[in-house]
Amino acid sequence: MRGGAALFTLLAILLFLAFPARYAKSVARGVDLWAVSVLPATFPFLFLTALFRSQPLYPRLLRALTPAAGKLFRISGAGGCAALLSLLSGYPVGAKTVYELYARREIASEEVFRVSALATTSGPMFVVGVVGCHILKSGKLGWLIFAAHLISVALVALLLRLFARGTVRSIAPPPATERKDLFAILGESVLSVLCVGGAIALFSAFSQMLADALALATPADVTPLLGLVEMTAGCNGVKSLPPPLAAALCAFFITFGGACV
């Protein structure tokens, strides 16, 4: 595994050195896509969900969600809350919330995998606002893709429920949430959205490298495959296809998440 990572890194360095203008342009496209489409749709929700987690209402919501989350997916209320935040905000809020909950021992080790599967979703602002309205030019298609995305995630979570062993331990949330300064929350949100932008820019270059490598092996159009690497660029790459096919591919890319996510 380490040898493969080293080989990939070396190849990427050599390609950047051999074709700096080509791959710098790919990075620029990723930055442009992030700044124009992703940033406006995701940054407000990253900030608002982080602010919400610092409010006294948050532990109350954990307790309120416990019965429903336990019956449906055999997870705790804290896990259900992580899934709810992911549903509202999308990548990477859900994964980050699961990590923070486990680090604070608010979710049990035996449910981390199931919670992670349920809390790894894209948010409505990205799917409807970015993919639907901006890329596919149709809010209706955006909502259709979002509905298919949520149904698929829920089905996976229900299947994982069948393999859950024992009962979910009820871990009580802390009596009072950690109150953070407003500017501290803003700073964390800015850092998170910058990390998202950096990932999109970097993996846009990796997608172009993959496309170039595949072009040497086949004359077929490999643009749809780029969504397996970075879903935003993948969705943008299939926008010229007929709407039903473009929507289906976007739904697949978003639910799969891509290597970037």
Side-chain angles (χ1 to χ4, degrees):
M1 185 68 181
R2 291 181 179 179
L7 179 60
F8 171 78
T9 304
L10 180 60
L11 289 174
I13 291 172
L14 292 175
L15 285 172
F16 264 110
L17 290 174
F19 308 101
R22 180 173 182 80
Y23 296 119
K25 187 176 181 180
S26 300
V27 172
R29 281 199 302 267
V31 172
D32 181 68
L33 186 62
W34 168 77
V36 174
S37 302
V38 179
L39 177 63
T42 58
F43 176 63
F45 270 80
L46 283 171
F47 171 73
L48 291 172
T49 52
L51 182 63
F52 175 69
R53 288 200 300 270
S54 71
Q55 304 303 310
L57 179 62
Y58 181 66
R60 298 177 187 174
L61 183 61
L62 300 187
R63 287 187 287 268
L65 283 174
T66 297
K71 290 180 180 179
L72 283 174
F73 304 111
R74 296 192 73 177
I75 59 176
S76 63
C81 198
L84 178 61
L85 291 175
S86 180
L87 173 66
L88 295 175
S89 302
Y91 310 120
V93 172
K96 183 181 179 184
T97 303
V98 172
Y99 169 76
E100 291 174 348
L101 289 173
Y102 182 67
R104 296 197 300 263
R105 298 296 184 265
E106 292 179 39
I107 58 176
S109 58
E110 58 265 24
E111 66 172 309
V112 168
F113 182 74
R114 297 196 302 279
V115 174
S116 298
L118 190 61
T120 306
T121 60
S122 189
M125 288 301 293
F126 175 79
V127 180
V128 180
V130 177
V131 177
C133 296
H134 181 76
I135 295 178
L136 300 180
K137 308 300 181 185
S138 172
K140 291 182 179 179
L141 278 179
W143 283 112
L144 180 62
I145 293 170
F146 187 60
H149 173 59
L150 295 186
I151 290 171
S152 64
V153 171
L155 287 175
V156 170
L158 287 172
L159 286 173
L160 290 177
R161 180 189 189 279
L162 300 177
F163 298 95
R165 296 181 179 180
T167 58
V168 176
R169 286 191 291 137
S170 178
I171 302 178
T177 53
E178 180 185 356
R179 301 300 297 272
K180 293 184 179 180
D181 179 79
L182 183 65
F183 288 100
I185 296 173
L186 180 62
E188 291 178 0
S189 302
V190 170
L191 180 60
S192 294
V193 80
L194 284 175
C195 288
V196 171
I200 291 174
L202 183 62
F203 277 82
S204 293
F206 292 160
S207 297
Q208 187 62 58
M209 291 177 184
L210 176 62
D212 292 343
L214 292 175
L216 296 175
T218 175
D221 182 15
V222 297
T223 301
L225 295 176
L226 301 185
L228 299 176
V229 180
E230 203 287 300
M231 66 174 184
T232 311
C235 292
N236 193 57
V238 300
K239 63 183 179 182
S240 60
L241 297 176
L245 179 58
L249 286 172
C250 287
F252 171 73
F253 293 152
I254 291 168
T255 305
F256 178 73
C260 181
V261 167

